[in-house]
Amino acid sequence: MRGGPEWHRILHRSARVTLAASVGFYLFVYGLDEPVLALYALFAPISLGLLSPIPGSGRQRAEVMLKALPVGLGLVALGTVLAVQTWAAVLGMLVVGFLVAFAAIAGPRPAGAAPGLQLFYILACFPPYEPDTLGLRLAGLTFGVVALVLAELFVLPSPPDPTYRTSLAQALATARDTITGISGLSPQELRQAGARLRLSGIPPAQRPAGPGRAVRGLAQAGSAARRLLEQLAHLTEIGALRDLVRDGTGSSRDGTDTALGSLLPRVVLLLDETVAALRTGRAAPGPQRMDEAIDDFQRMRVRQAAGPPDKVPPADVLRRQAALLAVAESVRALEISVRVGLDGRRTPPIEPRELFWYTHAATPELWLRRITGNMTPRSVQFHNALRIAVALAAARLVAGSLDLTHGFWVLLAVLTLSRTSVLETWSAIRQAVIGNLLGAVAAGALLIGLGQHTEAYAAILAPAMLIAFSLGPLLGLACAQGLFTLVVATAFAQIAPASWRLAEARIVDVVTGSAIGLLCGMLAWPAGARAEVRRTMAGLLHECGPLIRGTVAMLAAVPPGSVPAPATLPALHRLRLAESAYAQFRSEPASDAHVRADWHAVLITAHHILLGAQWLPRFDLPATALPQEAADGARARARALAQTTDGLAALCAGRRPRTSGTVPPPGEPAGPPLPVLVDLDMWLRSLTAQLTRIEAGLPEAIRRPPRGTTALGTKGSGSGPAGPDVGRAP
């Protein structure tokens, strides 16, 4: 049982829904004697206010409800027309069910309103076929939704949650204090600060999950902030951050390193301005010149490396310069993302264009990419939409073919009890059936005891709704279903004469809907996101290997520039699918916690690989060919890292790894201390540490390879490489 703020939130919501539903119902039943108006005026607030988990404050929910009203009116009209034949209603249910559920790709608020919109079509598509009542249905629905909107605005309105901008500003302030040496946080504390930006820990209404330009900017800023904090944690672990701050601020015995001292203050200043912009909600005026600062920094490093031997910085200083360059590029990407997230307007193309493609794309293109990117069997949003659409269409077919009394309840059971995995669905069904059995017994006794005394039902309905809508969420699904059965019986007894058989019909319909929902859950992706998160992470890791090899090949090419930059679009697409699967995975119960891996670390590493594949060729492309020994060493390390990512991908996909590549222990980069070699060495070192941590964090059920193999290799003949779309889930 919950308490505190959660109890207050539930109680306030139940009061708003009860008030909105009661006003229209009592007015139309006892004032105007219009049962159709009364039914829809009662049903609309319950559908959108109780059965639809629309997130946000009262004002935010009211806005979503008003936007959903025209769609709801269209669905009621469509359902009324298609109710003429069962086959027409079934086909309409299949299409409406998929489209409305697939609207979850637009973000948490449209996803929250989806169940209510589904129910508007469901209620209207059942017999009797009465198109002449369409006006009354639309009027009742409109009255109910408007009454609920007014209640959300003026009756115990919910306060707004802290915004994502606030969380992002706190994370960047932590990064700034760490870079300036103020905070002194440990690596674990820095990673925890980054973990607080995970979308699963952000209130749903504030999550940047939509397809719009501003929302994409904030989402990318969150990823950049987590990557920045991970970089700082890694530098703290190897002891480089303290020396970097010391040399860059002039607190060392030898004074300020010229290159470090030129860039570090710009990084800190940009972080300060970005934090201020997030807190005020307004982007800082004028463009930031971080590109120019990084170019000046690189030219200064090249001059240092080409100077007299006694003036060339030692290797440890070059490594600190490389670390600062990586941090500066992360801060640059972060500032651009925040600027787009706060402004939201189209911009000229920003480099690298593959990462910032959305900044200059038109709004229709943003939506088209979001839709087409999720129209794939690898998308959990596609899974969810297709599963619920098929289940609802099957339920409508069964209810229509068997002519079940109040067949609407069959589809209501499917909609409210279906979950993203079969285990969750079975757990919900068990509780719901028990609760409905008890509720049916109580409702039958109530109907027998009160008979046709409608005034008694009228006196009971409003208190019953308040109690059911308050205690149900607090005491669990069984209690909620039982109390809802009592509310349904009390309401329907006032619309038409009812007997104890109403309770009997309720339990039959709920059991029928539960069986259909369970069957569809068993047939359509029964493991939920648990299996899909492994497949998408495997696909993402599989795409990371070519990026590592391609980046090193471009930098080590002879002559320089003769090898094109590796394509990052495939990895970006895999990254979006993996993030979507991971978000749903985090929302599912932890029934399989013993096989959970640190998938968040995989996402962070992929971001790091993508960024390195962009900025290393951009800032470090050498003017002359690298020394042969240095180029060969870099290629060998890149091949070994790519084999590691392929091996991890195979393990995640449930396959036997083909390769046995072991990353050689990092030493001093071969050849003269060129900035490009040091930067590349730092990037590869960081990837080695992250991939090692990912493998160590894999649960035994995933990390243990098939018999006869090592964790990242084979003893004997190997199988084929792990592909991005194949493999068995546990």
Side-chain angles (χ1 to χ4, degrees), residues 24-320:
F25 185 79
Y26 287 125
L27 173 63
F28 296 133
V29 168
Y30 298 103
L32 301 180
D33 192 24
E34 290 287 354
V36 175
L37 274 170
L39 178 62
Y40 280 82
L42 172 75
F43 184 69
I46 293 176
S47 298
L48 278 181
L50 183 70
L51 302 179
S52 298
I54 301 175
S57 64
R59 182 174 296 275
Q60 289 171 326
R61 285 201 297 270
E63 179 183 355
V64 173
M65 292 168 185
L66 283 177
K67 291 180 178 179
L69 178 57
V71 181
L73 294 174
L75 292 175
V76 168
L78 180 63
T80 301
V81 172
L82 296 182
V84 62
Q85 293 287 343
T86 296
W87 65 266
V90 171
L91 290 179
M93 186 73 263
L94 184 64
V95 174
V96 169
F98 180 83
L99 292 179
V100 173
F102 195 66
I105 63 173
R109 295 181 196 174
L117 295 174
Q118 303 268 29
L119 289 171
F120 292 157
Y121 173 84
I122 291 170
L123 181 62
C125 77
F126 273 95
Y129 173 62
E130 296 177 341
D132 54 315
T133 65
L134 178 58
L136 295 175
R137 295 180 178 189
L138 299 181
L141 182 70
T142 302
F143 185 95
V145 172
V146 171
L148 180 60
V149 167
L150 294 175
E152 290 285 351
L153 291 174
F154 301 111
V155 180
L156 303 172
S158 299
D161 296 310
T163 65
Y164 190 69
R165 290 191 293 106
T166 302
S167 302
L168 192 55
Q170 292 173 348
L172 296 190
T174 299
R176 176 202 58 202
D177 293 343
T178 301
I179 292 175
T180 56
I182 296 176
S183 65
L185 296 179
S186 67
Q188 184 62 26
E189 290 171 325
L190 288 170
R191 292 191 174 101
Q192 288 175 352
R196 285 193 286 271
L197 290 175
R198 294 180 181 180
L199 295 188
S200 58
I202 302 297
Q206 304 300 335
R207 294 173 186 171
R213 190 175 299 103
V215 176
R216 288 179 186 268
L218 286 178
Q220 186 167 356
S223 299
R226 295 197 304 269
R227 183 176 62 250
L228 174 62
L229 289 167
E230 172 62 33
Q231 288 175 304
L232 297 178
H234 176 66
L235 293 176
T236 303
E237 282 178 333
I238 64 176
L241 184 62
R242 180 183 64 254
D243 295 337
L244 188 155
V245 174
R246 181 197 61 196
D247 290 355
T249 57
S251 57
S252 65
R253 289 182 303 171
D254 299 329
T256 305
D257 176 77
T258 306
L260 290 174
S262 69
L263 185 59
L264 184 61
R266 302 287 294 272
V267 170
V268 174
L269 176 62
L270 189 57
L271 278 174
D272 278 332
E273 293 180 349
T274 305
V275 170
L278 286 167
R279 288 174 174 168
T280 61
R282 295 187 301 273
Q288 291 295 333
R289 299 299 181 186
M290 183 55 72
D291 284 357
E292 296 179 3
I294 293 176
D295 289 338
D296 292 343
F297 176 73
Q298 287 294 81
R299 284 193 292 269
M300 195 175 301
R301 295 177 69 199
V302 171
R303 287 197 300 270
Q304 289 179 341
D310 59 334
K311 299 295 184 180
V312 175
D316 57 343
V317 173
L318 291 176
R319 281 196 292 269
R320 288 195 284 275

Side-chain angles (χ1 to χ4, degrees), residues 543-554 566 609 613 634 637-639 641-642 645 680 683-684 687 691:
E543 291 292 345
C544 286
L547 279 183
I548 299 172
R549 291 195 304 268
T551 301
V552 173
M554 183 181 184
I609 293 172
R637 292 175 66 185
R639 284 194 300 270
L641 276 173
T645 60
L680 185 58
W683 185 58
L684 296 176
L687 295 183
L691 291 171

